[in-house]
Amino acid sequence: MSVALVTGVTGQDGSYLVDRLLEDGVEVHGMVRAGDPSTGQLRTAHPQVHLHETDLADGPGLHQLVREVAPDQLFNLAGISSVATSWEQPGLTGLLSGLAVAELLAAALDVQESTGRLVAVVQASSAEIFGEPDRVPQDEATAVRPTNPYGAAKAYAHHMSGIYRSRGLAVSSCILFNHESPRRPPAFVTRKITQAAARIGREGTGEIALGNLDARRDWGWAPDYVDALVRAANHPGGGDFVVATGETHSVAEFAAAALARVGIVDWERWVRTDPAFVRPTDTAQLVGDPTRAREVLGWTPTRSFTEVVHAMVDHDVQLLG
Ligand code: GDP
């Protein structure tokens, strides 16, 4: 039986990845943070997952965990997960989303060298490493030039992934564009919008206060992106892979589609712009070219933009009862 170690196991992607790995018959070890309120839920849903309490900021602890589990596959999904939070905690973002990756890579190489067994590492990288990109769409050769603390930490981790690949570790840096689902927390604009749309649809009153309505993102379906991570882990030698739909939509289009799903056509009446949600710097447009993931990993997205919006709104409508 293959053994996987997953960091960030309680997040959106971690939870879909656990579902997927268990389905595939993999022995799953999850790294959790002390006091994470989602750990209990995970324990109940999947008692067969081996949980390990280790802090991402604890370098020696990370080495010990990787040595103990000695995984065939290590998925690193942990860290600060949003650009918005990274502006509030830039140093912590560098530590958890950057330096911790260096520790994990070094620990994985140690295990590979001491056991003689191959260890595949999958780093959940981000489109934010491109910052204000010099080409549209972005692919694996686009210049890494981040413009916020989150992107800078992910860029460091992306470079370290390449460096450890050249040392003989099969590291994949999956450059994930935005990917959403009903498990997305409302700190992200998509879930914030779908929760509000569900409430407005039900109550016929309310508003959605948003920042930059013109920002354009390439929004995909999170379980598809987890499928890409699994494919990358099984790809000999690893590599860099852009994981994206290749389509871009604005925040305004997302809001319009979400409100349309609950029967509202005049979306502008329900949306207000609030400077409190406008970022100090914001990438105007991100859109990925997933050709390499398609050709090398055989990966394709299964849900369109509209299908993603509908799945999220329908879930939030259902939650309201
Ligand atoms: P990100 O791309 O990882 O930062 O994901 P987000 O979902 O947080 O943000 C996507 C885009 O939506 C960014 O360009 C934000 O500036 C923009 N946006 C506009 N209004 C909001 C808002 O109220 N909340 C958030 N989180 N983002 C917003």
Side-chain angles (χ1 to χ4, degrees):
M1 184 188 258
S2 161
V3 176
L5 172 60
V6 182
T7 75
V9 80
T10 56
Q12 169 186 257
D13 298 350
S15 72
Y16 284 117
L17 181 58
V18 167
D19 294 347
R20 167 67 188 271
L21 292 172
L22 291 175
E23 254 172 55
D24 291 351
V26 174
E27 176 181 316
V28 181
H29 293 254
M31 190 183 106
V32 291
R33 189 165 33 94
D36 182 338
S38 311
T39 305
Q41 236 170 307
L42 174 61
R43 233 184 264 285
T44 313
H46 297 302
Q48 66 275 53
V49 173
H50 307 265
L51 295 180
H52 304 265
E53 228 173 61
T54 305
D55 200 311
L56 258 187
D58 172 12
L62 292 177
H63 279 262
Q64 197 190 331
L65 174 65
V66 176
R67 237 189 344 261
E68 256 174 47
V69 175
D72 301 297
Q73 300 183 334
L74 166 54
F75 294 89
N76 181 40
L77 312 182
I80 299 292
S81 64
S82 91
V83 174
T85 314
S86 83
W87 282 111
E88 287 154 23
Q89 297 183 295
L92 188 66
T93 302
L95 182 60
L96 304 187
S97 299
L99 292 176
V101 184
E103 302 292 357
L104 289 168
L105 290 165
L109 184 61
D110 272 356
V111 167
Q112 177 168 290
E113 287 181 344
S114 62
T115 63
R117 272 193 304 110
L118 291 178
V119 180
V121 179
V122 177
Q123 162 63 10
S125 189
S126 163
E128 289 290 339
I129 66 174
F130 299 133
E132 231 14 279
D134 59 4
R135 62 169 93 168
V136 177
Q138 294 88 51
D139 62 20
E140 294 79 5
T142 302
V144 174
R145 218 170 41 185
T147 52
N148 59 60
Y150 174 81
K154 287 289 193 183
Y156 170 76
H158 175 75
H159 290 312
M160 289 301 275
S161 297
I163 288 165
Y164 274 81
R165 194 181 308 132
S166 67
R167 297 259 333 253
L169 196 64
V171 189
S172 289
S173 184
C174 291
I175 306 165
L176 306 177
F177 282 62
N178 298 53
H179 47 288
E180 316 298 315
S181 78
R183 299 188 194 173
R184 196 62 145 154
F188 292 85
V189 76
T190 52
R191 189 74 196 286
K192 177 175 170 180
I193 291 171
T194 61
Q195 281 185 343
R199 256 193 324 272
I200 290 170
R202 181 192 170 96
E203 293 161 13
T205 158
E207 62 169 16
I208 319 178
L210 295 171
N212 182 8
L213 291 181
D214 298 325
R216 299 184 72 85
R217 290 289 180 276
D218 180 333
W219 279 296
W221 179 239
D224 285 344
Y225 289 53
V226 162
D227 175 53
L229 300 179
V230 172
R231 287 170 186 267
N234 292 317
H235 181 65
D240 293 337
F241 300 101
V242 160
V243 185
T245 69
E247 245 188 59
T248 179
H249 295 272
S250 68
V251 172
E253 283 167 38
F254 197 102
L259 286 164
R261 183 64 171 170
V262 296
I264 291 172
V265 285
D266 54 345
W267 68 273
E268 278 159 305
R269 231 191 87 206
W270 304 88
V271 171
R272 176 171 65 83
T273 46
D274 182 336
F277 298 114
V278 177
R279 306 220 174 130
T281 66
D282 196 18
T283 308
Q285 163 160 299
L286 286 171
V287 54
D289 173 358
T291 304
R292 185 156 194 268
R294 190 175 60 237
E295 290 180 355
V296 177
L297 303 178
W299 178 81
T300 41
T302 65
R303 291 205 185 187
S304 69
F305 169 75
T306 311
E307 286 168 339
V308 172
V309 176
H310 287 183
M312 292 177 72
V313 173
D314 293 354
H315 175 82
D316 284 324
V317 166
Q318 212 173 23
L319 282 185
L320 289 178

